[in-house]
Amino acid sequence: MIKVAINGYGTIGKRVADAVAAQPDMEIIGVSKTSVSAEAYIAKERGYPLYIADLGRKPAFEKAGLEVAGDVETMLKAADIIVDATPGGVGEKNRPVYEKLGKKAIFQGGEEHEVAGFSFNAHANYKEAMGRQFARVVSCNTTGLVRLITAMDRAFGVERVRAVMIRRAADPDDIQRGPVDAIVLNPVTIPSHHGPDVQTILPSVNIVTLAMIVPTTLMHMHSVQIDLKRETTREEALKVLENHSRIGIVRKATGIKSNAQLREYTQDLGRPRTDLWENGVFEESVAVLNGREFYCFQAIHQEADVVPENVDCIRAMMGTVKDPEESIRTTNKALGLVAIG
Amino acid sequence: MIKVAINGYGTIGKRVADAVAAQPDMEIIGVSKTSVSAEAYIAKERGYPLYIADLGRKPAFEKAGLEVAGDVETMLKAADIIVDATPGGVGEKNRPVYEKLGKKAIFQGGEEHEVAGFSFNAHANYKEAMGRQFARVVSCNTTGLVRLITAMDRAFGVERVRAVMIRRAADPDDIQRGPVDAIVLNPVTIPSHHGPDVQTILPSVNIVTLAMIVPTTLMHMHSVQIDLKRETTREEALKVLENHSRIGIVRKATGIKSNAQLREYTQDLGRPRTDLWENGVFEESVAVLNGREFYCFQAIHQEADVVPENVDCIRAMMGTVKDPEESIRTTNKALGLVAIG
Amino acid sequence: MIKVAINGYGTIGKRVADAVAAQPDMEIIGVSKTSVSAEAYIAKERGYPLYIADLGRKPAFEKAGLEVAGDVETMLKAADIIVDATPGGVGEKNRPVYEKLGKKAIFQGGEEHEVAGFSFNAHANYKEAMGRQFARVVSCNTTGLVRLITAMDRAFGVERVRAVMIRRAADPDDIQRGPVDAIVLNPVTIPSHHGPDVQTILPSVNIVTLAMIVPTTLMHMHSVQIDLKRETTREEALKVLENHSRIGIVRKATGIKSNAQLREYTQDLGRPRTDLWENGVFEESVAVLNGREFYCFQAIHQEADVVPENVDCIRAMMGTVKDPEESIRTTNKALGLVAIG
Amino acid sequence: MIKVAINGYGTIGKRVADAVAAQPDMEIIGVSKTSVSAEAYIAKERGYPLYIADLGRKPAFEKAGLEVAGDVETMLKAADIIVDATPGGVGEKNRPVYEKLGKKAIFQGGEEHEVAGFSFNAHANYKEAMGRQFARVVSCNTTGLVRLITAMDRAFGVERVRAVMIRRAADPDDIQRGPVDAIVLNPVTIPSHHGPDVQTILPSVNIVTLAMIVPTTLMHMHSVQIDLKRETTREEALKVLENHSRIGIVRKATGIKSNAQLREYTQDLGRPRTDLWENGVFEESVAVLNGREFYCFQAIHQEADVVPENVDCIRAMMGTVKDPEESIRTTNKALGLVAIG
């Protein structure tokens, strides 16, 4: 059993913790939290040992009925590998600690590529992660793009990618961030930084991205246009997507045409936290125009799509499973990821 | 086993179906749907026999991979009791059908009191439902008010109730209804109709309600002020709420101060569809001023709080359980409703 | 003086009325309204004679202190030209009335091209409108695209256009329409109908459009990519936009990066109803990549950009001004449209 | 002419500047800004001399085409009175500067009462401001409550006030603040701080307030219940409101039932920046129940209702007009404030 510590039990950390705990070959040895909160109660409810950065706050936790297992360093020492799910920029500060302790660690997309020196996506470069001490699971948006581009590239060859990303403003439980009634160019300049972030995994892809923020909390939505190297048909393109183990097809018959309805659907399916771990490609949107122009809309659940990637990244870095498809299969099965369509 | 049919498998119907299926003394013999949709796939996934109003649409269902068990009348005939969860106003049209078939039926709060001639809340008037052919489970907002008022009345006596209800604009999967950026007086006139609706269950209560609609999808929020007949303290009032089997206390230590964070919490707890079946009373908000003025904020999950009431209403109307508390306990246990705080 | 009647005094109609009234060569002879409303009071405040479809409602208007000048047909007969600003689809039903009366009429973008048989944009095809009985001013989105494409085509030649349109959900005063928290693919299928609508004016342009609806009320936002026939630079492209009489440059120095801030700016400028009549192209977003790929973001004020087009269309159809640039200059000057940057 | 400086040319400052400039007895001698922004361009467009805190930034302003008149201290010295419209908390830091220069200054509601030692509302305590060096114009919400309570108290006597305030989340041009989809209890505790803030002007009033934040940008909405000392009727209560010079009645005939439609109406009326300077009381909502319970909904435009109060406060502090009603009349007339209904 691989011993995994979750440093930062928030939006991503709590999901990765449950995903790890569901795997046959991993266990959670602890999660960390800086202050008493709803999530600390969830850690207790799940039975995850709770570690805190500042033991001076232990009385506050205990007064709230929350047992503290020790300080964060104790947790890190006990782990084989650490998933750092702290807020963006904190991972960079934590890296020296992991180095000092000689521990493997996975950072999230809120960190720069250079923090880990290697950026990960299970379908694109699983094998390159093997044996590394550090890796970064790229952001939700980049993960979604890399999955789609890699799939289309293997099937038809990708000449250039043009993507417009409509980003959610805040996570559902974030009551601070807006906007309330605006479309925000983020950034105003074209292209956005998402293209170069894709290139940390796929260095040679010709990609231009644009990004806006809109007042929704549920999922990002990508409009993607790919010029293919080889001609194809809508049917063939759709088949490639259907056969991908982390792309789900949102079927026309469901009548779903928004991120809101899609989240209702994953909720009805009983998915934990209503998570959509896969790219949600809308069947009706898939188009091939002029023989080589591929188009689609895909929904990207910002809280969820990187979760299985973290799990696979653990296996790759630990070197316990050599075959990417085997790891992906194991991860998906443990999560209960079945085709949504 | 009580045989239950769900006529109208939508927002409420799909939840009542799962709640009924979870009970030890009931079973779902069928659910109805008018057209192919995401929810029809969920019925299939749950294994509920799917009935349709118009058999002419059977081929469309079958083409979509959805087996049709028969027409709605066939389903109704096979049931001991029908939960009518059709859109507001449709229940009234269905009543003659139920009468003709001699079937018991439960209507929802979207119908007028007169459609059933009896309005139900488990804590307030369970025993009066026994043996009836028709009952109406009052709306989510009315259910939330009745629970709170009944509890305070039994403990301290209620002199008058003044409640301002901030209503969600649309359910999370409803992409048609707004507003996007407005506070809508609904109605503009004071008082609103919610007070009289409470009086269908508690006829003698002195209540004035005001209502607005705001751009949120997650839960309603009530600001309630009750003038009590007897003086009390914050501690005593809080204790009454804590001991209520369908009121949950949102603890200060969780840091939750919005419907969004509360829904994240029920989601993290693994509640099906993130449902908050109980009134979510905010611990910090509970106040008793000037000895007899009770105040609190309570969150009301519009999709969920009527669900256990429907289950209890089935038992009361079927006459199989005489004691309200026994039914409530059975329902809560089957749902996995444990104190949220 | 050209005598103009506004049939439908709503979001567009009230703006066109004020714009017409501001012109040196036109006058408003009446506006129509079906029922008492806030806008009827505005018509009174402006001094526009108010006509109603159903004279049976005259007492209701009078009781509300609103004088009724007569029925709609009386108004139509007195006009040289009618601007039909009724809700989408009603214009089609009105056309036979205009035909019978032998009156010129302008329809809006909510009608099909075929209703008028000719679609209008001042910069693109002013002269073709001369002498016609019917014309359609294309929708706000199409107007915004046609302006931009025409400008780039004249300067550099346009090879192909790929545009993603992020549409506002509802107008600011519309409290019915949503969504509240969703990104809605509208349509889910790719391409959307906006491309063909552009082709009603620019038949030979190679254009693919995609469209989504998001919860904002203020303005649409377009992400536009144009492959040019000739190489150019960012500076040259920007200069073309700066010199266009209905394109405004949102300067970097203003710090504006959203439709909300842009509307605050037009409000601060004292624009009537905060209207942005021109395309709002964000200076920082203008990019030319790989020599021939032009990119920009542009804000399109759904309530306003078609207003000056209606004014120009009146002049063209009446044949009183032959030179498009002269009409555009006159319209802009009367509105007080000066460069926003 | 009273020489007025506006320290802080933002949401409130820019409005007060225009309101002051419109008065017959006042002039703007300068406004201050810390950095280049859209608002700095508006100051230029209006012809207000622009002063900056840090002259080191002068080149940045000049590069942007914005002339700098000097540093802030120069502006303050040239003024008879300063309106401090800096962000909340900054006024407190500025007070020693005003003291050192021996200048009169008006602070806004974002400052504590103690910063000025006197809180102002034109209808409630104009005369008490005469001759003072410092005063604070209370916040938009408090201003709205004080106007209403004072009016009802003078007419019928006020026994107790219970108000629930539904607050806008962010101003229209604020793209940072949320929430996007939540009702936030702010504060969770009952009562909120708004009651005590009313008591800085009306010390003896019995008031309990509750407050929530919702995702709208346009206006706050108050639900107010006042127990009166004397019995009255709806008609009499309405008459009191109609006769108040800073309360506007939103007439039933307009069909307006939301802050969004009300703002559209002030926009259509051509109000500068669509400002609603008065309380917007909804005619249909006005109710008197049980003889002495007064109810109403009122819209409070957070950006605007304090603007005329600042103007009156200037006159009172300068001592140039002794009669409050004379000042209010002069202010209203210069603004063009006429009854909205």
Side-chain angles (χ1 to χ4, degrees):
Chain A
M1 297 290 271
I2 305 170
K3 292 181 197 313
V4 182
I6 306 291
N7 199 10
Y9 188 74
T11 302
I12 297 297
K14 67 188 178 187
R15 285 173 162 87
V16 174
D18 288 0
V20 163
Q23 304 301 317
D25 53 348
M26 303 178 189
E27 63 180 323
I28 292 293
I29 58 107
V31 305
S32 78
K33 206 69 206 152
T34 52
S35 55
V36 174
S37 69
E39 280 157 348
Y41 284 97
I42 297 301
K44 177 186 177 185
E45 192 266 346
R46 291 289 198 279
Y48 301 141
L50 187 62
Y51 293 84
I52 62 179
D54 176 4
L55 282 181
R57 293 199 180 173
K58 196 173 170 181
F61 278 82
E62 288 174 342
K63 195 185 152 205
L66 296 164
E67 199 182 333
V68 173
D71 68 1
V72 169
E73 193 166 326
T74 305
M75 175 183 79
L76 301 181
K77 282 179 180 164
D80 296 324
I81 188 165
I82 298 143
V83 176
D84 185 304
T86 54
V90 177
E92 184 178 3
K93 292 173 191 153
N94 288 341
R95 183 188 146 129
V97 180
Y98 306 146
E99 283 185 298
K100 200 191 67 185
L101 297 174
K103 294 291 178 182
K104 287 178 188 286
I106 298 173
F107 301 95
Q108 306 302 313
E111 306 300 320
E112 299 290 328
H113 172 76
E114 290 67 29
V115 172
F118 173 75
S119 292
F120 178 84
N121 175 269
H123 283 81
N125 64 0
Y126 181 96
K127 289 186 179 173
E128 294 173 42
M130 296 189 70
R132 286 184 183 270
Q133 185 181 359
F134 296 128
R136 178 183 75 126
V137 169
V138 291
S139 75
C140 52
N141 280 312
T142 304
T143 294
L145 288 173
V146 168
R147 284 176 184 164
L148 183 64
I149 295 167
T150 303
M152 299 309 284
D153 193 42
R154 288 179 187 167
F156 312 109
V158 162
E159 189 139 313
R160 74 173 200 180
V161 181
R162 299 293 177 264
V164 179
M165 292 139 89
I166 310 305
R167 296 167 58 193
R168 66 88 182 90
D171 286 333
D173 69 334
D174 179 346
I175 59 174
Q176 301 294 337
R177 293 173 68 184
V180 170
D181 182 355
I183 300 169
V184 181
L185 306 177
N186 191 271
V188 184
T189 47
I190 296 173
S192 76
H193 69 279
H194 299 90
D197 203 46
V198 165
Q199 290 165 335
T200 64
I201 293 182
L202 305 172
S204 62
V205 70
N206 171 351
I207 181 169
V208 173
T209 54
L210 293 78
M212 291 174 250
I213 291 174
V214 302
T216 186
T217 65
L218 302 173
M219 295 180 189
H220 304 297
M221 191 73 80
H222 292 179
S223 138
V224 187
Q225 187 241 312
I226 302 179
D227 286 353
L228 304 171
K229 287 187 174 151
R230 289 190 292 284
E231 291 214 350
T232 186
T233 62
R234 179 180 184 276
E235 287 64 36
E236 284 182 73
L238 190 56
K239 199 176 301 173
V240 168
L241 301 174
E242 289 170 338
N243 290 337
H244 192 284
S245 46
R246 294 249 168 90
I247 291 178
I249 306 298
V250 184
R251 294 293 173 193
K252 180 182 176 183
T254 61
I256 295 171
K257 51 186 175 182
S258 64
N259 56 353
Q261 296 160 302
L262 183 50
R263 194 138 176 182
E264 179 88 1
Y265 192 51
T266 57
Q267 182 174 287
D268 281 350
L269 283 171
R271 290 269 184 107
R273 294 184 172 92
T274 78
D275 284 353
L276 182 72
W277 299 295
E278 57 273 57
N279 294 20
V281 174
F282 290 78
E283 182 181 19
E284 268 192 289
S285 76
V286 174
V288 176
L289 306 181
N290 311 318
R292 299 197 300 120
E293 281 183 52
F294 167 86
Y295 290 85
C296 76
F297 287 120
Q298 66 177 0
I300 298 297
H301 184 180
Q302 76 277 2
E303 303 165 303
D305 78 339
V306 299
V307 171
E309 304 293 332
N310 272 276
V311 173
D312 292 325
C313 193
I314 291 171
R315 279 201 198 91
M317 289 169 71
M318 295 303 294
T320 54
V321 174
K322 306 268 180 300
D323 175 26
E325 282 302 327
E326 184 190 331
S327 174
I328 291 167
R329 227 171 14 241
T330 305
T331 304
N332 285 4
K333 189 181 167 194
L335 289 176
L337 191 160
V338 290
I340 57 169
Chain B
M1 298 290 273
I2 304 169
K3 293 180 197 312
V4 182
I6 307 292
N7 199 9
Y9 188 74
T11 301
I12 297 297
K14 67 189 177 186
R15 286 173 162 88
V16 172
D18 288 359
V20 163
Q23 305 301 317
D25 52 347
M26 303 176 188
E27 64 179 322
I28 292 294
I29 58 104
V31 304
S32 78
K33 206 69 206 151
T34 52
S35 55
V36 175
S37 68
E39 280 156 348
Y41 284 97
I42 297 302
K44 177 187 177 184
E45 193 267 347
R46 291 289 198 279
Y48 301 141
L50 187 61
Y51 293 84
I52 63 179
D54 175 4
L55 282 182
R57 292 198 181 174
K58 197 172 171 182
F61 278 82
E62 288 175 342
K63 194 184 152 205
L66 297 163
E67 197 182 334
V68 173
D71 68 1
V72 170
E73 191 165 329
T74 305
M75 175 183 80
L76 300 181
K77 283 179 179 163
D80 296 323
I81 187 166
I82 298 144
V83 176
D84 184 304
T86 54
V90 177
E92 184 178 3
K93 292 174 193 154
N94 289 339
R95 185 189 145 127
V97 180
Y98 306 146
E99 284 188 296
K100 200 191 66 181
L101 297 174
K103 293 291 178 181
K104 289 179 187 285
I106 299 174
F107 300 95
Q108 306 301 313
E111 305 301 321
E112 300 290 327
H113 171 77
E114 289 66 31
V115 172
F118 172 75
S119 292
F120 177 85
N121 176 269
H123 282 81
N125 63 0
Y126 181 96
K127 289 186 179 172
E128 296 173 41
M130 296 188 70
R132 287 184 182 270
Q133 183 180 1
F134 295 128
R136 178 184 75 127
V137 170
V138 289
S139 75
C140 51
N141 280 313
T142 304
T143 294
L145 288 173
V146 168
R147 284 176 184 165
L148 183 64
I149 294 168
T150 303
M152 299 310 284
D153 193 41
R154 288 178 187 169
F156 312 110
V158 161
E159 188 138 317
R160 74 173 201 180
V161 182
R162 298 294 175 265
V164 179
M165 293 140 88
I166 311 306
R167 296 167 58 193
R168 66 89 182 88
D171 285 334
D173 69 334
D174 178 347
I175 58 174
Q176 301 293 339
R177 292 173 68 183
V180 171
D181 183 355
I183 300 169
V184 181
L185 306 178
N186 190 271
V188 185
T189 48
I190 295 174
S192 76
H193 68 280
H194 299 89
D197 203 44
V198 166
Q199 290 165 336
T200 63
I201 293 182
L202 305 173
S204 61
V205 70
N206 171 352
I207 182 169
V208 173
T209 53
L210 294 77
M212 290 174 252
I213 291 174
V214 302
T216 186
T217 64
L218 302 174
M219 294 180 190
H220 304 298
M221 191 73 81
H222 293 179
S223 139
V224 186
Q225 188 240 312
I226 303 179
D227 287 351
L228 304 171
K229 286 187 175 152
R230 290 190 291 283
E231 290 214 349
T232 187
T233 62
R234 179 180 185 276
E235 287 64 36
E236 285 183 72
L238 190 55
K239 201 175 300 173
V240 168
L241 301 174
E242 288 170 338
N243 290 337
H244 192 284
S245 46
R246 294 250 169 90
I247 292 179
I249 306 298
V250 183
R251 295 291 174 195
K252 180 183 176 181
T254 60
I256 296 171
K257 50 186 176 183
S258 64
N259 56 353
Q261 295 160 302
L262 182 50
R263 193 137 177 183
E264 179 88 2
Y265 192 50
T266 57
Q267 183 174 286
D268 281 350
L269 283 171
R271 289 270 184 105
R273 294 186 172 91
T274 79
D275 283 353
L276 183 73
W277 299 294
E278 56 273 56
N279 293 20
V281 174
F282 289 78
E283 181 182 20
E284 269 192 288
S285 76
V286 174
V288 176
L289 306 181
N290 312 318
R292 301 198 300 121
E293 280 183 51
F294 168 85
Y295 289 86
C296 77
F297 286 121
Q298 67 176 1
I300 298 297
H301 185 180
Q302 75 277 2
E303 303 166 301
D305 78 339
V306 299
V307 171
E309 304 293 332
N310 272 276
V311 173
D312 292 325
C313 193
I314 291 171
R315 279 201 198 90
M317 289 169 71
M318 295 303 295
T320 54
V321 175
K322 307 267 180 300
D323 175 25
E325 282 302 326
E326 185 191 332
S327 174
I328 291 167
R329 229 174 9 246
T330 304
T331 303
N332 285 4
K333 190 180 166 195
L335 289 175
L337 190 161
V338 290
I340 57 169
Chain C
M1 298 289 271
I2 305 169
K3 293 182 197 311
V4 182
I6 306 292
N7 199 9
Y9 188 74
T11 302
I12 297 299
K14 67 188 178 187
R15 286 173 162 88
V16 173
D18 287 0
V20 163
Q23 304 300 317
D25 52 347
M26 304 178 187
E27 64 179 323
I28 292 293
I29 58 105
V31 304
S32 78
K33 206 69 205 151
T34 52
S35 55
V36 175
S37 69
E39 280 156 348
Y41 284 96
I42 297 301
K44 176 187 178 185
E45 193 267 345
R46 291 289 199 278
Y48 301 141
L50 187 61
Y51 293 83
I52 62 178
D54 175 5
L55 281 181
R57 293 200 181 173
K58 197 173 171 181
F61 278 82
E62 288 175 342
K63 194 184 153 204
L66 296 164
E67 198 183 332
V68 173
D71 67 2
V72 169
E73 192 164 328
T74 305
M75 175 183 80
L76 301 180
K77 283 178 178 162
D80 296 324
I81 187 166
I82 298 145
V83 176
D84 185 304
T86 53
V90 177
E92 184 178 3
K93 292 174 192 154
N94 289 340
R95 185 189 144 127
V97 181
Y98 307 145
E99 282 186 298
K100 199 191 68 183
L101 298 173
K103 294 292 179 181
K104 288 178 188 285
I106 298 174
F107 300 95
Q108 306 302 313
E111 305 302 320
E112 300 290 327
H113 172 76
E114 289 67 29
V115 172
F118 172 74
S119 292
F120 178 84
N121 175 269
H123 282 82
N125 63 0
Y126 180 97
K127 290 186 179 172
E128 296 173 41
M130 296 189 69
R132 287 183 183 270
Q133 184 181 0
F134 295 129
R136 178 183 74 127
V137 169
V138 290
S139 74
C140 52
N141 280 312
T142 304
T143 294
L145 288 172
V146 168
R147 285 176 183 163
L148 184 63
I149 294 167
T150 303
M152 299 310 284
D153 192 41
R154 288 177 187 169
F156 311 111
V158 161
E159 189 139 314
R160 74 173 201 180
V161 182
R162 299 293 177 264
V164 178
M165 293 140 88
I166 312 304
R167 296 167 58 192
R168 65 88 183 89
D171 285 334
D173 69 334
D174 179 347
I175 59 173
Q176 301 294 337
R177 292 173 68 183
V180 171
D181 182 356
I183 301 168
V184 181
L185 306 178
N186 189 270
V188 184
T189 48
I190 296 173
S192 76
H193 69 279
H194 299 90
D197 203 46
V198 166
Q199 290 165 336
T200 62
I201 293 182
L202 305 172
S204 61
V205 70
N206 171 350
I207 182 169
V208 173
T209 54
L210 294 77
M212 291 173 250
I213 291 174
V214 301
T216 186
T217 65
L218 302 173
M219 293 181 189
H220 305 297
M221 190 73 80
H222 293 180
S223 139
V224 186
Q225 187 240 312
I226 303 180
D227 287 352
L228 303 171
K229 285 187 174 152
R230 290 190 290 284
E231 290 213 348
T232 187
T233 63
R234 178 179 186 278
E235 288 64 36
E236 285 183 72
L238 190 56
K239 200 175 299 172
V240 168
L241 301 174
E242 288 171 338
N243 290 337
H244 191 284
S245 46
R246 294 249 168 91
I247 291 178
I249 306 298
V250 184
R251 294 292 173 194
K252 181 183 174 181
T254 60
I256 296 170
K257 50 186 175 183
S258 63
N259 56 353
Q261 295 160 303
L262 183 50
R263 192 136 177 185
E264 179 88 2
Y265 192 52
T266 57
Q267 183 174 286
D268 281 350
L269 283 171
R271 290 270 183 104
R273 294 186 172 92
T274 79
D275 283 353
L276 182 72
W277 299 296
E278 57 273 55
N279 294 20
V281 174
F282 289 77
E283 182 182 18
E284 268 193 289
S285 76
V286 174
V288 176
L289 306 181
N290 311 319
R292 299 197 302 120
E293 281 181 52
F294 168 85
Y295 290 86
C296 77
F297 287 120
Q298 67 176 2
I300 298 297
H301 184 179
Q302 76 277 3
E303 303 165 302
D305 79 338
V306 299
V307 171
E309 304 293 331
N310 272 276
V311 174
D312 292 325
C313 192
I314 291 170
R315 280 201 198 90
M317 289 169 71
M318 295 302 295
T320 54
V321 175
K322 307 268 180 301
D323 175 25
E325 282 302 326
E326 186 191 331
S327 174
I328 291 168
R329 231 175 6 249
T330 304
T331 303
N332 284 5
K333 190 181 165 194
L335 289 176
L337 190 161
V338 290
I340 57 168
Chain D
M1 297 290 271
I2 304 170
K3 292 181 197 312
V4 182
I6 306 292
N7 199 9
Y9 188 75
T11 302
I12 297 297
K14 67 188 178 188
R15 286 174 162 86
V16 173
D18 287 0
V20 163
Q23 305 300 318
D25 53 347
M26 303 178 188
E27 64 179 323
I28 291 294
I29 58 105
V31 305
S32 78
K33 206 70 206 152
T34 52
S35 55
V36 175
S37 68
E39 281 157 347
Y41 285 97
I42 297 301
K44 177 187 176 184
E45 193 267 346
R46 292 291 198 278
Y48 301 141
L50 186 62
Y51 293 84
I52 63 178
D54 176 4
L55 283 181
R57 292 199 181 174
K58 196 173 170 181
F61 278 83
E62 289 176 341
K63 195 184 153 205
L66 297 163
E67 198 182 332
V68 173
D71 66 3
V72 169
E73 191 165 327
T74 305
M75 175 183 80
L76 300 181
K77 283 178 179 163
D80 296 323
I81 188 165
I82 298 144
V83 176
D84 185 305
T86 54
V90 177
E92 184 178 4
K93 292 173 192 154
N94 289 341
R95 184 188 145 126
V97 180
Y98 306 146
E99 283 186 297
K100 201 191 66 183
L101 296 174
K103 294 291 180 183
K104 288 177 187 286
I106 297 173
F107 301 94
Q108 305 303 313
E111 305 301 320
E112 300 290 327
H113 172 76
E114 290 67 29
V115 171
F118 172 75
S119 292
F120 177 85
N121 175 269
H123 282 82
N125 63 0
Y126 180 96
K127 289 185 179 172
E128 295 172 42
M130 296 188 72
R132 287 182 182 271
Q133 185 181 359
F134 296 129
R136 177 184 76 125
V137 170
V138 290
S139 75
C140 52
N141 280 313
T142 305
T143 294
L145 288 173
V146 168
R147 284 177 184 164
L148 183 64
I149 295 168
T150 303
M152 298 310 284
D153 194 41
R154 288 178 188 168
F156 311 110
V158 161
E159 190 140 312
R160 74 174 201 180
V161 182
R162 299 292 177 264
V164 178
M165 291 139 89
I166 310 306
R167 297 167 57 194
R168 66 88 181 89
D171 285 334
D173 69 333
D174 178 348
I175 59 174
Q176 300 294 337
R177 292 173 68 184
V180 171
D181 182 356
I183 300 169
V184 181
L185 306 178
N186 189 270
V188 184
T189 48
I190 295 173
S192 77
H193 69 280
H194 298 90
D197 203 44
V198 166
Q199 290 165 335
T200 64
I201 293 182
L202 305 173
S204 62
V205 70
N206 171 351
I207 181 168
V208 173
T209 53
L210 292 78
M212 291 173 250
I213 291 174
V214 302
T216 186
T217 65
L218 302 174
M219 294 180 189
H220 304 297
M221 192 71 82
H222 293 181
S223 139
V224 186
Q225 187 241 313
I226 302 179
D227 286 352
L228 304 171
K229 286 188 175 150
R230 290 190 292 282
E231 291 213 349
T232 187
T233 62
R234 179 180 185 276
E235 287 64 35
E236 285 182 72
L238 190 54
K239 199 175 300 173
V240 168
L241 300 174
E242 288 170 338
N243 290 337
H244 192 284
S245 46
R246 293 251 167 89
I247 291 179
I249 306 298
V250 184
R251 295 292 173 194
K252 181 182 175 182
T254 60
I256 296 171
K257 50 186 176 184
S258 64
N259 57 353
Q261 294 160 303
L262 182 50
R263 194 139 176 181
E264 180 87 1
Y265 192 51
T266 57
Q267 182 174 286
D268 281 349
L269 284 171
R271 290 269 184 105
R273 294 184 173 93
T274 78
D275 284 353
L276 182 72
W277 299 296
E278 58 272 57
N279 294 20
V281 174
F282 289 77
E283 182 182 18
E284 269 192 289
S285 75
V286 174
V288 177
L289 306 182
N290 312 318
R292 299 196 303 118
E293 281 182 52
F294 168 85
Y295 290 85
C296 77
F297 286 120
Q298 67 176 1
I300 299 297
H301 185 179
Q302 75 277 3
E303 303 165 303
D305 78 339
V306 299
V307 171
E309 304 293 332
N310 272 276
V311 173
D312 292 324
C313 193
I314 291 171
R315 279 200 198 93
M317 289 169 72
M318 296 302 295
T320 53
V321 175
K322 307 267 179 299
D323 175 24
E325 281 302 326
E326 185 190 333
S327 175
I328 290 167
R329 229 172 12 243
T330 305
T331 303
N332 285 5
K333 189 182 167 194
L335 290 176
L337 190 161
V338 290
I340 56 168

